[in-house]
Amino acid sequence: FSDPFINRRRAHDFIQADTRLEAISQERIRERNKAPQERQREICEDYYPCEMYAFRHGYAAAYRHYFGRRRTK
């Protein structure tokens, strides 16, 4: 019978250091290449009226409402 819990000092021994560094670099790459929906949501979050509209109708509808069609007046 072995103890099901890992010793606190050895908790990260099973993760290889290079694997951790690779995972961090992959996350940085994903942050640079954002999906269009994520960019639109961030733009909407930065504009308060758009964010309030999004709480009721969703971010896709709010982005279309405030930024989808460019007004030329």
Side-chain angles (χ1 to χ4, degrees), residues 3-6 9 14 17 21 23 27 33-35 37 46 51-52 54 56 63 65-66 70 72:
D3 187 14
F5 300 102
I6 298 174
R9 292 186 183 133
F14 61 93
L21 292 175
E27 180 65 24
N33 300 327
K34 292 184 179 176
Q37 295 88 352
D46 291 339
E51 189 175 21
M52 291 296 102
R56 183 176 276 278
Y63 183 84
H65 180 78
Y66 285 98
R70 296 291 175 188
T72 56

Side-chain angles (χ1 to χ4, degrees), residues 1-10:
F1 180 72
S2 65
D3 187 14
F5 300 102
I6 298 174
N7 183 337
R8 185 182 295 182
R9 292 186 183 133
R10 300 193 43 136

Side-chain angles (χ1 to χ4, degrees), residues 39-73:
R39 269 195 217 97
Q40 291 174 358
R41 183 182 175 125
E42 288 177 355
I43 290 168
C44 189
E45 286 174 345
D46 291 339
Y47 185 54
Y48 185 75
C50 183
E51 189 175 21
M52 291 296 102
Y53 191 91
F55 285 144
R56 183 176 276 278
H57 302 285
Y59 278 98
Y63 183 84
R64 278 193 311 272
H65 180 78
Y66 285 98
F67 304 106
R69 50 202 157 148
R70 296 291 175 188
R71 295 184 176 95
T72 56
K73 285 186 180 178

Side-chain angles (χ1 to χ4, degrees), residues 20-34:
R20 260 184 281 167
L21 292 175
E22 186 178 320
I24 290 169
S25 67
Q26 288 296 323
E27 180 65 24
R28 297 291 171 259
I29 291 170
R30 279 193 294 276
E31 285 177 0
R32 275 186 268 144
N33 300 327
K34 292 184 179 176

